[in-house]
PDB file of all heavy atoms in Angstrom:
ATOM      1  N   GLY A 210       6.774  11.130  18.628  1.00 98.00           N
ATOM      2  CA  GLY A 210       7.333  11.024  17.303  1.00 98.00           C
ATOM      3  C   GLY A 210       6.867   9.754  16.600  1.00 98.00           C
ATOM      4  O   GLY A 210       6.561   9.750  15.437  1.00 98.00           O
ATOM      5  N   LEU A 211       6.822   8.637  17.356  1.00 98.00           N
ATOM      6  CA  LEU A 211       6.308   7.374  16.797  1.00 98.00           C
ATOM      7  C   LEU A 211       4.832   7.449  16.432  1.00 98.00           C
ATOM      8  O   LEU A 211       4.397   6.979  15.374  1.00 98.00           O
ATOM      9  CB  LEU A 211       6.601   6.233  17.708  1.00 98.00           C
ATOM     10  CG  LEU A 211       8.062   5.850  17.906  1.00 98.00           C
ATOM     11  CD1 LEU A 211       8.224   4.824  18.997  1.00 98.00           C
ATOM     12  CD2 LEU A 211       8.673   5.373  16.592  1.00 98.00           C
ATOM     13  N   TYR A 212       4.048   8.072  17.325  1.00 98.00           N
ATOM     14  CA  TYR A 212       2.613   8.284  17.007  1.00 98.00           C
ATOM     15  C   TYR A 212       2.465   9.115  15.747  1.00 98.00           C
ATOM     16  O   TYR A 212       1.614   8.808  14.864  1.00 98.00           O
ATOM     17  CB  TYR A 212       1.907   8.959  18.138  1.00 98.00           C
ATOM     18  CG  TYR A 212       1.366   8.036  19.247  1.00 98.00           C
ATOM     19  CD1 TYR A 212       1.797   8.111  20.558  1.00 98.00           C
ATOM     20  CD2 TYR A 212       0.398   7.062  18.933  1.00 98.00           C
ATOM     21  CE1 TYR A 212       1.328   7.276  21.538  1.00 98.00           C
ATOM     22  CE2 TYR A 212      -0.104   6.215  19.906  1.00 98.00           C
ATOM     23  CZ  TYR A 212       0.359   6.319  21.202  1.00 98.00           C
ATOM     24  OH  TYR A 212      -0.145   5.503  22.169  1.00 98.00           O
ATOM     25  N   ALA A 213       3.240  10.196  15.641  1.00 98.00           N
ATOM     26  CA  ALA A 213       3.164  11.095  14.492  1.00 98.00           C
ATOM     27  C   ALA A 213       3.565  10.361  13.224  1.00 98.00           C
ATOM     28  O   ALA A 213       2.930  10.531  12.177  1.00 98.00           O
ATOM     29  CB  ALA A 213       4.066  12.291  14.660  1.00 98.00           C
ATOM     30  N   CYS A 214       4.611   9.540  13.314  1.00 98.00           N
ATOM     31  CA  CYS A 214       5.048   8.769  12.133  1.00 98.00           C
ATOM     32  C   CYS A 214       3.910   7.854  11.641  1.00 98.00           C
ATOM     33  O   CYS A 214       3.599   7.792  10.434  1.00 98.00           O
ATOM     34  CB  CYS A 214       6.262   8.005  12.492  1.00 98.00           C
ATOM     35  SG  CYS A 214       6.986   6.999  11.159  1.00 98.00           S
ATOM     36  N   GLY A 215       3.320   7.113  12.552  1.00 98.00           N
ATOM     37  CA  GLY A 215       2.221   6.233  12.154  1.00 98.00           C
ATOM     38  C   GLY A 215       0.992   7.019  11.633  1.00 98.00           C
ATOM     39  O   GLY A 215       0.363   6.573  10.682  1.00 98.00           O
ATOM     40  N   ALA A 216       0.721   8.155  12.302  1.00 98.00           N
ATOM     41  CA  ALA A 216      -0.435   8.942  11.876  1.00 98.00           C
ATOM     42  C   ALA A 216      -0.271   9.511  10.482  1.00 98.00           C
ATOM     43  O   ALA A 216      -1.187   9.573   9.689  1.00 98.00           O
ATOM     44  CB  ALA A 216      -0.619  10.065  12.888  1.00 98.00           C
ATOM     45  N   ILE A 217       0.977   9.900  10.187  1.00 98.00           N
ATOM     46  CA  ILE A 217       1.251  10.479   8.849  1.00 98.00           C
ATOM     47  C   ILE A 217       1.048   9.369   7.788  1.00 98.00           C
ATOM     48  O   ILE A 217       0.474   9.594   6.716  1.00 98.00           O
ATOM     49  CB  ILE A 217       2.677  11.040   8.770  1.00 98.00           C
ATOM     50  CG1 ILE A 217       2.738  12.351   9.559  1.00 98.00           C
ATOM     51  CG2 ILE A 217       3.137  11.255   7.338  1.00 98.00           C
ATOM     52  CD1 ILE A 217       4.101  12.858   9.861  1.00 98.00           C
ATOM     53  N   MET A 218       1.543   8.181   8.041  1.00 98.00           N
ATOM     54  CA  MET A 218       1.343   7.077   7.097  1.00 98.00           C
ATOM     55  C   MET A 218      -0.137   6.702   6.915  1.00 98.00           C
ATOM     56  O   MET A 218      -0.593   6.454   5.838  1.00 98.00           O
ATOM     57  CB  MET A 218       2.219   5.868   7.501  1.00 98.00           C
ATOM     58  CG  MET A 218       3.720   6.113   7.257  1.00 98.00           C
ATOM     59  SD  MET A 218       4.715   4.671   7.304  1.00 98.00           S
ATOM     60  CE  MET A 218       4.815   4.412   9.061  1.00 98.00           C
ATOM     61  N   ALA A 219      -0.872   6.784   8.067  1.00 98.00           N
ATOM     62  CA  ALA A 219      -2.300   6.571   7.971  1.00 98.00           C
ATOM     63  C   ALA A 219      -2.979   7.673   7.158  1.00 98.00           C
ATOM     64  O   ALA A 219      -3.899   7.403   6.353  1.00 98.00           O
ATOM     65  CB  ALA A 219      -2.924   6.511   9.366  1.00 98.00           C
ATOM     66  N   GLY A 220      -2.478   8.911   7.306  1.00 98.00           N
ATOM     67  CA  GLY A 220      -2.974   9.998   6.506  1.00 98.00           C
ATOM     68  C   GLY A 220      -2.751   9.844   5.029  1.00 98.00           C
ATOM     69  O   GLY A 220      -3.593  10.159   4.218  1.00 98.00           O
ATOM     70  N   LEU A 221      -1.560   9.322   4.692  1.00 98.00           N
ATOM     71  CA  LEU A 221      -1.292   9.070   3.259  1.00 98.00           C
ATOM     72  C   LEU A 221      -2.188   7.974   2.712  1.00 98.00           C
ATOM     73  O   LEU A 221      -2.662   8.091   1.538  1.00 98.00           O
ATOM     74  CB  LEU A 221       0.183   8.639   3.156  1.00 98.00           C
ATOM     75  CG  LEU A 221       1.197   9.750   3.326  1.00 98.00           C
ATOM     76  CD1 LEU A 221       2.645   9.168   3.407  1.00 98.00           C
ATOM     77  CD2 LEU A 221       1.133  10.810   2.253  1.00 98.00           C
ATOM     78  N   ILE A 222      -2.485   6.954   3.487  1.00 97.00           N
ATOM     79  CA  ILE A 222      -3.407   5.941   3.039  1.00 97.00           C
ATOM     80  C   ILE A 222      -4.842   6.495   2.886  1.00 97.00           C
ATOM     81  O   ILE A 222      -5.530   6.201   1.893  1.00 97.00           O
ATOM     82  CB  ILE A 222      -3.432   4.723   4.021  1.00 97.00           C
ATOM     83  CG1 ILE A 222      -2.084   4.032   3.995  1.00 97.00           C
ATOM     84  CG2 ILE A 222      -4.531   3.747   3.711  1.00 97.00           C
ATOM     85  CD1 ILE A 222      -1.919   2.920   5.014  1.00 97.00           C
ATOM     86  N   GLN A 223      -5.235   7.360   3.871  1.00 97.00           N
ATOM     87  CA  GLN A 223      -6.544   7.994   3.771  1.00 97.00           C
ATOM     88  C   GLN A 223      -6.626   8.875   2.516  1.00 97.00           C
ATOM     89  O   GLN A 223      -7.642   8.880   1.842  1.00 97.00           O
ATOM     90  CB  GLN A 223      -6.786   8.842   4.999  1.00 97.00           C
ATOM     91  CG  GLN A 223      -8.091   9.638   5.035  1.00 97.00           C
ATOM     92  CD  GLN A 223      -9.292   8.777   5.327  1.00 97.00           C
ATOM     93  OE1 GLN A 223      -9.206   7.566   5.335  1.00 97.00           O
ATOM     94  NE2 GLN A 223     -10.440   9.434   5.519  1.00 97.00           N
ATOM     95  N   ARG A 224      -5.567   9.566   2.199  1.00 97.00           N
ATOM     96  CA  ARG A 224      -5.564  10.421   0.976  1.00 97.00           C
ATOM     97  C   ARG A 224      -5.662   9.559  -0.261  1.00 97.00           C
ATOM     98  O   ARG A 224      -6.290   9.914  -1.266  1.00 97.00           O
ATOM     99  CB  ARG A 224      -4.289  11.285   0.937  1.00 97.00           C
ATOM    100  CG  ARG A 224      -4.358  12.297  -0.193  1.00 97.00           C
ATOM    101  CD  ARG A 224      -3.036  13.006  -0.359  1.00 97.00           C
ATOM    102  NE  ARG A 224      -2.000  12.195  -0.956  1.00 97.00           N
ATOM    103  CZ  ARG A 224      -0.767  12.562  -1.103  1.00 97.00           C
ATOM    104  NH1 ARG A 224      -0.365  13.751  -0.659  1.00 97.00           N
ATOM    105  NH2 ARG A 224       0.104  11.756  -1.727  1.00 97.00           N
TER     106      ARG A 224
END
Side-chain angles (χ1 to χ4, degrees):
L211 291 174
Y212 273 120
C214 182
I217 287 167
M218 289 194 283
L221 288 170
I222 293 174
Q223 177 76 350
R224 189 187 73 185

